[in-house]
Amino acid sequence: MSGGLLVAGTTSDAGKSVVTAGICRWLVRRGVKVAPFKAQNMSLNSFVTREGAEIGRAQAMQAQACRVEPTALMNPVLLKPGGEQSSQVVLMGRPVGELSARGYHGGRQQQLLGTVLDCLAALRGTYDAVICEGAGSPAEINLRRTDIVNMGIARNARPRLPVLVVGDIDRGGVFASFFGTVALLGREDQELVAGFLVNKFRGDVSLLEPGLDMLHGLTGRRTYGVLPFRHGLGIDEEDGMAVSLRGAVRESSVAPPVGEDVLRVAVCAIPLMSNFTDVDALAAEPGVVVRFVDRPEELADADLVVVPGTRGTVRALQWLRERGLADALVRRAADGRPVLGVCGGFQILGEHIEDDVESRAGQVDGLGVLPVRVRFAREKTLARPVGEALGEPVEGYEIHHGIADVMGGETFLDGCRVGAVWGTHWHGSLESDGFRRAFLREVAAAAGRRFVPAPDTSFAALREEQLDRLGDLIEEHADTDALWRLIESGAPQGLPFIPPGAPA
C-alpha cells in the first residue's frame, strides 16, 4: 500500500497542522506506518533533525505524532522570513540563499517541484501512508501557476493525492469558504477535492447538519467530520504567533503552584521572533505564568525575562532600544534580576555584534550585560548538542549564523552566566525536565520567590498526551472509515465540476 492525503485549508491557520498531526496519530494507533509531509513551509519556528537538517517545527511535531524520527524529506523547502520582502530559502535542510517573494514565485519555486515530488515519492515508497499538509489556501489564484505545496503537489504526485479541505468555523463564513475554495479551482484540481472537515465547532452539531447537507447538494462533496473546539490543542506554530502579546502562551491554563508563590515570566516579543516554542516548557510547569510583552513597564513584576531567538538580531536590538526595553533589561541585569537570552537573544545581551551577513550593519553595540562578542558567519550552524548544566543532563538544538566568543563569566551550556543573566544558543534546553527544574530554582532564588518546581512534570509526556488528544479528536469526531478509504483509494470518481473554475 502507498496511501496518501493532502490536508488543505480555506485559510492560513484553519487548523491544517493540527488536523494533519491528529490523522497521523490516529493512523499510527491503528498500526499504520505513516509519515508527515509538507512540500514548502514558511516559518520562523524550525527544528534540527538528527542528520543536521533544518525543517519546520510543525513537521517535527507531526513526525512525533507518527512516532518516527523527523527527516529533511518531510519538509524539503523551508522559507524563513527576514523582512517584509525576502526570505532565506532552506532546501533539504540547508540554506541556499535569500530571495524576494517576487523572485521566488517568479521562477525559483517551480524549479523545486521535482525535488519535492522526489521527496514525497521516497516517503511513499517507505511508509504505508503519507499525510501531506498544504499551505495557506489552494484557491490563491494568483499563485496557482507556481504552486508546489497545495494542488500542484496533489495533481503531480503519482498516484495523485485526494484532498481534504479544513475550515475554521469559529471564524465564521465556513460554508462560503468551502464552496468558494472548490469553485476557484480548475476542473482537474476539483476532481481531487474529496470533501471537507469542519474545525473548532462550538455547540450542537445537529444545528449544523442542515448546512452540511446543503453544502453536499451544492458541491457533490461530503463532510468527513466536525471537530469540536478544544482549548490548548495547538502544536508548534508555523506562520505566525497564535498568542496575544498580553495573553497566555496559546490557550494553556496555569496549574496551581507547588510552593507558596507563582513565577512570572515575560517574553520580549521582538521582531522576527523565532523558536518562541522554547518557552512552552516553562508554561507547562505548574505555577509558572508566561506572557509576551512589548513595553518596558511590563517587565516590572516579572521574575524572569526571556529574550528569545530572532531571524533579525540587529533589527530586534534596535526595536528593544526604541521601545525602552533595552534600558529596562540593562537595569534588571545591574539589579541582579533574572534574564535569559536564547540564540539571537543571547547575542543581543553581548558586548557587540559584527554582522555582514544577516543585516549587513557591520559592528553594532549590544546591551553589554554578558562578556560575549558575536561575529556572523555565512555558514549556518545546525547541531543537536547534549551536555550538562546546573548538575543535570540537558540537550537542545542550534540554528544560528552568529558565532559567539565568550570571554568570561561562568560556563552555561555553550554560553555563559553573569550573576542572574544567562545566555545560550541552545534552543529546546528547557524541555530537559531536570535541567528546567534546576534553572527555575535558580530563578526563584534570585527573584526572592518561594516557588517550588513540581517534581514530576514531564514535558515529553505532556507532548504525547497532547498528540493523543489530537488523535482522539479524529477518532471520535471524524468518519474514520470514510477517511481511511480516501487515504487508501484516492478521491471518489465522478465528483461534479463547480463553476466558474480557475481563471485561464
Side-chain angles (χ1 to χ4, degrees), residues 347-415:
Q347 297 165 7
I348 284 168
L349 297 178
E351 294 178 0
H352 72 244
I353 299 163
E354 187 178 330
D355 181 11
D356 295 318
V357 175
E358 192 175 76
S359 68
R360 298 181 176 84
Q363 186 163 310
V364 177
D365 289 336
L367 299 189
V369 296
L370 288 178
V372 175
R373 295 176 182 173
V374 176
R375 175 184 56 82
F376 272 65
R378 298 200 175 276
E379 187 73 21
K380 182 184 282 191
T381 297
L382 297 168
R384 289 279 294 269
V386 296
E388 184 178 301
L390 306 180
E392 297 286 347
V394 57
E395 58 184 272
Y397 58 99
E398 295 183 61
I399 306 168
H400 54 92
H401 284 279
I403 306 299
D405 182 12
V406 179
M407 300 174 295
E410 300 176 47
T411 299
F412 178 71
L413 302 176
D414 70 319

Side-chain angles (χ1 to χ4, degrees), residues 66-420:
C66 297
R67 298 185 178 135
V68 298
E69 193 67 35
T71 73
L73 291 173
M74 297 171 183
N75 179 207
V77 182
L78 174 63
L79 305 178
K80 303 193 73 175
E84 298 298 324
Q85 299 291 330
S86 67
S87 293
Q88 183 180 67
V89 180
V90 179
L91 179 62
M92 296 303 295
R94 296 287 172 180
V96 294
E98 297 272 341
L99 275 180
S100 67
R102 181 181 294 274
Y104 184 68
H105 290 289
R108 177 60 168 158
Q109 184 181 35
Q110 190 64 19
Q111 295 169 10
L112 298 173
L113 179 60
T115 299
V116 300
L117 288 172
D118 287 346
C119 290
L120 177 58
L123 290 173
R124 295 181 87 175
T126 305
Y127 293 89
D128 298 331
V130 178
I131 308 304
C132 307
E133 180 187 344
S137 162
E140 291 165 350
I141 55 179
N142 57 314
L143 303 178
R144 181 175 178 270
R145 182 178 60 84
T146 57
D147 171 42
I148 64 169
V149 65
N150 290 305
M151 302 312 299
I153 195 78
R155 189 174 58 247
N156 287 287
R158 293 293 179 268
R160 299 193 304 172
L161 293 169
V163 178
L164 184 69
V165 180
V166 178
D168 180 356
I169 197 170
D170 198 46
R171 294 182 174 196
V174 75
F175 292 116
S177 298
F178 282 147
F179 183 88
T181 296
V182 178
L184 282 174
L185 299 177
R187 188 177 298 273
E188 186 182 7
D189 289 341
Q190 286 194 23
E191 290 173 357
L192 298 175
V193 178
F196 313 106
L197 187 74
V198 177
N199 192 29
K200 297 185 183 178
F201 179 72
R202 305 174 192 248
D204 184 347
V205 176
S206 66
L207 299 177
L208 187 66
E209 286 171 352
L212 301 179
D213 291 340
M214 286 186 273
L215 182 66
H216 184 271
L218 287 166
T219 67
R221 290 158 174 86
R222 58 166 299 169
T223 297
Y224 283 77
V226 178
L227 307 186
F229 187 96
R230 292 285 187 269
H231 285 283
L233 285 182
I235 66 170
D236 293 357
E237 306 295 342
E238 288 188 353
D239 302 330
M241 184 175 66
V243 295
S244 161
L245 290 183
R246 293 169 191 83
V249 176
R250 299 189 181 87
E251 295 158 333
S252 60
S253 58
V254 178
V258 174
E260 296 179 46
D261 287 344
V262 298
L263 209 61
R264 296 171 177 84
V265 179
V267 185
C268 296
I270 55 180
L272 298 174
M273 181 165 43
S274 62
N275 289 74
F276 55 82
T277 47
D278 284 334
V279 301
D280 284 359
L282 295 178
E285 279 287 343
V288 176
V289 183
V290 179
R291 67 185 190 274
F292 288 81
V293 304
D294 60 353
R295 298 195 301 249
E297 55 267 30
E298 293 177 294
L299 305 189
D301 68 342
D303 301 307
L304 169 67
V305 174
V306 178
V307 188
T310 172
R311 173 83 164 87
T313 302
V314 171
R315 177 178 167 184
L317 178 57
Q318 181 182 359
W319 181 88
L320 289 168
R321 287 187 166 124
E322 290 170 350
R323 294 276 178 142
L325 284 158
D327 290 339
L329 287 167
V330 172
R331 286 194 300 271
R332 280 189 70 91
D335 294 341
R337 303 183 66 199
V339 177
L340 170 65
V342 181
C343 201
F346 167 42
Q347 297 165 7
I348 284 168
L349 297 178
E351 294 178 0
H352 72 244
I353 299 163
E354 187 178 330
D355 181 11
D356 295 318
V357 175
E358 192 175 76
S359 68
R360 298 181 176 84
Q363 186 163 310
V364 177
D365 289 336
L367 299 189
V369 296
L370 288 178
V372 175
R373 295 176 182 173
V374 176
R375 175 184 56 82
F376 272 65
R378 298 200 175 276
E379 187 73 21
K380 182 184 282 191
T381 297
L382 297 168
R384 289 279 294 269
V386 296
E388 184 178 301
L390 306 180
E392 297 286 347
V394 57
E395 58 184 272
Y397 58 99
E398 295 183 61
I399 306 168
H400 54 92
H401 284 279
I403 306 299
D405 182 12
V406 179
M407 300 174 295
E410 300 176 47
T411 299
F412 178 71
L413 302 176
D414 70 319
C416 65
R417 170 187 182 176
V418 174

